[in-house]
Amino acid sequence: MSQRQLAIDIYHDLCTTGMLAQDSWDTLLPGLSARGLIFGDRPLTTVLRPLLHTGMDWHYLRWRSTVVLGVFRKMAEALLSNPALREQVYLTPEEEDLIQIPTGFTTILPTARLDSFLTVHDDGAYQLNYIELNGESPASMAYSDVLSDLFLETPLMQAFGERYHVEALAVGRRSAVDALLRLYYQWRGNRSKLPDIVIVDWEGVPTTTEFHLFVDYFARYDITVTICTPEKMEFRNGVLYADGRAVDYVYKRVLTTELLQRYQLNHPIIDALRAGAICMANPFTCKLVHKKASFAVASDERNAYLFTPEEQEAIRQHIPWTRVVEERKTIAPDGASVDLLPWASARKDTLVLKPNDEYGGKGVLIGWECEQTAWDAALQAALTDPAIIQTRAMIAYEDFPSLTPNDAIDISRRLVDSDPFIFNGDTVDGSLVRLSKVTLLNVTAGGGSVVPAFIVDRKE
């Protein structure tokens, strides 16, 4: 038995000891509400155990994520400088316009998240698959921090801590604030003032509670932050105003696609950027790798020249075979040259189809869970509305404990993803962990649960 599984088994044994489970849930449930750990109107977590990593687990995930991040960083630079290559990610004309606006800093990924499945086998071997890069407005950096603090207060974690050293992977707010301030001072060229920040997103989005966590955290640095909707912004006399307050830094959580759908290129944020009046993170250039087609750029044989042998090996190991749905010949996973569309039609049970620029699981079609007619119709639709197909990744599963409605302990299997956070375009630290009982793992889509991650080491 692996050291990791031994720790999990000990934790689960504690769940059946006395009232530890019930007392822990009685700590968690009111704590979730009191600390803003709410997604829309739902508590962020529904289980009693965090994800437990050994030090080696986390070292491996962080190391390989750093290598894969280098792939996407190199790809982004190539896409930005090469319009012909950029055609492979299917930017809209408006997005092409936006990526030409100077940002005033170097990185295109101030904050980001690599969504992945990490399977740790009984013999200690790892299998790691990255399936998406959230490069535009990654959520849960603050949620994961505060959730870690709350779990540490539970009787279960306190009892577990008598047997194990535990270290929370909770750096999201600190690292995000550090990354955002670095950009601001690079854009400004000096440190003569603190930024005047606005967090921008639509009214009523489910992550609003996380915005407030960031407001409180920035206040520790004497930085004032306003939360504002796009409708309440204006640019006049060279100054951007958010709900009447002058700001010079936009922390953009609203998605570019949604902003363009509502305003096209006519919004005060865009005007202020063109005038050089504001700093903004994440910049519009992040769309280059946020598009799901970026995974196709990475794994497509025609782009192998972009990457070193080490990077090509990392792509083979960790990025599922991915292609934009097109009428073309390509190299299949087994090395054969194939006509893409008929090949994809015949192999739906091994493929997932994803829209190029959606989120929250919208439009995702899982081949092995749908009818052939629906699959073929989606492939045809993708010829005019860009989408990718991606080979089925090995999904990670673990048992997690929860309380049933009649207060019994239920330890049952859940799909688990481990999603490392990226800061400054070059640093991997901290992680979002999501759980689900169904294949489509996405909290935004209305299911699943979020838990913190801890590194654990057994006490002598």
Side-chain angles (χ1 to χ4, degrees):
M1 180 185 298
S2 69
Q3 290 301 309
R4 183 169 182 269
Q5 188 59 51
L6 178 61
I8 292 170
D9 289 347
I10 289 173
Y11 195 102
H12 289 174
D13 287 343
L14 290 171
C15 289
T16 62
T17 303
M19 294 295 291
L20 283 177
Q22 183 64 61
D23 291 345
S24 293
W25 187 242
D26 290 344
T27 299
L28 284 172
L29 190 58
L32 291 166
S33 178
R35 303 186 194 196
L37 299 170
I38 304 294
F39 191 86
D41 59 357
R42 294 180 284 119
L44 207 57
T45 192
T46 59
V47 299
L48 292 164
R49 177 171 73 79
L51 184 70
L52 304 178
H53 285 303
T54 66
M56 187 60 70
D57 297 340
W58 174 239
H59 169 77
Y60 181 81
L61 180 57
R62 193 177 188 183
W63 165 46
R64 301 312 292 168
S65 297
T66 301
V67 174
V68 170
L69 173 58
V71 168
F72 281 95
R73 187 169 58 241
K74 180 179 289 187
M75 182 200 310
E77 293 169 356
L79 290 167
L80 194 57
S81 63
N82 186 338
L85 181 65
R86 201 157 63 238
E87 291 177 0
Q88 294 184 31
V89 294
Y90 287 85
L91 295 182
T92 67
E94 292 81 7
E95 289 165 346
E96 278 283 349
D97 185 294
L98 292 177
I99 68 169
Q100 307 304 323
I101 302 174
T103 65
F105 47 82
T106 53
T107 182
I108 72 164
L109 290 174
T111 62
R113 196 183 69 223
L114 273 166
D115 293 353
S116 67
F117 294 116
L118 173 65
T119 299
V120 184
H121 297 284
D122 291 340
D123 62 358
Y126 298 105
Q127 187 154 355
L128 176 60
N129 289 293
Y130 300 96
I131 55 171
E132 290 184 13
L133 171 60
N134 187 326
E136 185 160 14
S137 69
S140 203
M141 291 175 291
Y143 281 149
S144 296
D145 282 6
V146 181
L147 197 56
S148 296
D149 295 339
L150 179 59
F151 262 81
L152 285 171
E153 297 174 11
T154 64
L156 272 170
M157 282 297 289
Q158 290 171 5
F160 183 73
E162 294 176 3
R163 306 191 192 188
Y164 279 82
H165 299 287
V166 295
E167 178 187 351
L169 290 175
V171 298
R173 289 173 299 173
R174 185 188 71 212
S175 296
V177 168
D178 176 70
L180 294 172
L181 290 179
R182 286 191 192 187
L183 295 191
Y184 178 75
Y185 293 128
Q186 186 178 350
W187 169 80
R188 187 173 177 79
N190 59 61
R191 292 176 173 261
S192 61
K193 69 178 287 292
L194 293 172
D196 294 299
I197 299 177
V198 57
I199 298 174
V200 182
D201 209 339
W202 306 112
E203 183 74 30
V205 295
T207 49
T208 298
T209 48
E210 186 177 41
F211 303 162
H212 289 284
L213 295 177
F214 269 112
V215 170
D216 293 342
Y217 195 80
F218 271 110
R220 300 183 188 182
Y221 298 86
D222 297 321
I223 297 172
T224 300
V225 179
T226 299
I227 300 171
C228 187
T229 64
E231 298 93 335
K232 294 183 179 180
M233 305 189 74
E234 59 178 329
F235 183 59
R236 66 175 189 270
N237 300 323
V239 178
L240 183 66
Y241 293 89
D243 204 12
R245 175 174 170 259
V247 296
D248 62 358
Y249 199 161
V250 171
Y251 179 21
K252 185 181 72 64
R253 294 293 295 265
V254 63
L255 294 171
T256 301
T257 300
E258 294 181 349
L259 192 69
L260 290 173
Q261 286 172 347
R262 182 79 62 90
Y263 295 100
Q264 290 77 53
L265 294 172
N266 302 309
H267 189 271
I269 289 177
I270 298 172
D271 296 337
L273 280 171
R274 293 192 196 280
I278 61 167
C279 180
M280 187 180 79
N282 279 352
F284 289 126
T285 48
C286 72
K287 293 294 287 188
L288 292 167
V289 290
H290 181 80
K291 297 272 191 179
K292 292 180 177 61
S294 65
F295 275 70
V297 175
S299 66
D300 197 320
E301 69 274 1
R302 60 187 171 180
N303 302 320
Y305 70 93
L306 293 171
F307 307 110
T308 66
E310 180 192 21
E311 290 165 342
Q312 290 180 37
E313 179 58 26
I315 291 168
R316 284 191 290 270
Q317 286 184 25
H318 304 305
I319 294 180
W321 181 98
T322 308
R323 294 292 185 273
V324 173
V325 179
E326 300 170 311
E327 291 182 329
R328 57 168 288 206
K329 285 188 176 294
T330 190
I331 303 301
D334 63 0
S337 178
V338 298
D339 288 317
L340 182 58
L341 257 64
W343 179 89
S345 174
R347 287 163 178 78
K348 78 172 183 66
D349 290 343
T350 67
L351 298 170
V352 176
L353 183 144
K354 302 177 183 179
N356 189 30
D357 198 4
E358 279 288 5
Y359 70 100
K362 296 176 184 175
V364 174
L365 197 60
I366 298 169
W368 57 94
E369 294 183 356
C370 74
E371 298 296 328
Q372 186 71 47
T373 53
W375 179 255
D376 289 338
L379 289 176
Q380 287 301 311
L383 294 175
T384 54
D385 191 5
I388 64 164
I389 49 172
Q390 193 170 68
T391 52
R392 185 175 187 171
M394 172 172 278
I395 296 175
Y397 291 96
E398 281 188 27
D399 287 339
F400 279 81
S402 63
L403 286 179
T404 66
N406 62 354
D407 295 331
I409 301 295
D410 172 52
I411 299 177
S412 55
R413 194 173 83 149
R414 285 169 169 80
L415 184 157
V416 184
D417 71 352
S418 300
D419 308 334
F421 293 120
I422 295 166
F423 302 102
N424 299 308
D426 58 10
T427 301
V428 175
D429 215 349
S431 173
L432 165 66
V433 180
R434 296 178 293 191
L435 314 176
S436 177
K437 289 187 175 182
V438 298
T439 306
L440 183 58
L441 198 162
N442 197 289
V443 177
T444 303
S449 180
V450 174
V451 295
F454 290 86
I455 297 173
V456 299
D457 180 42
R458 192 165 191 177
K459 293 179 178 179
E460 297 296 334

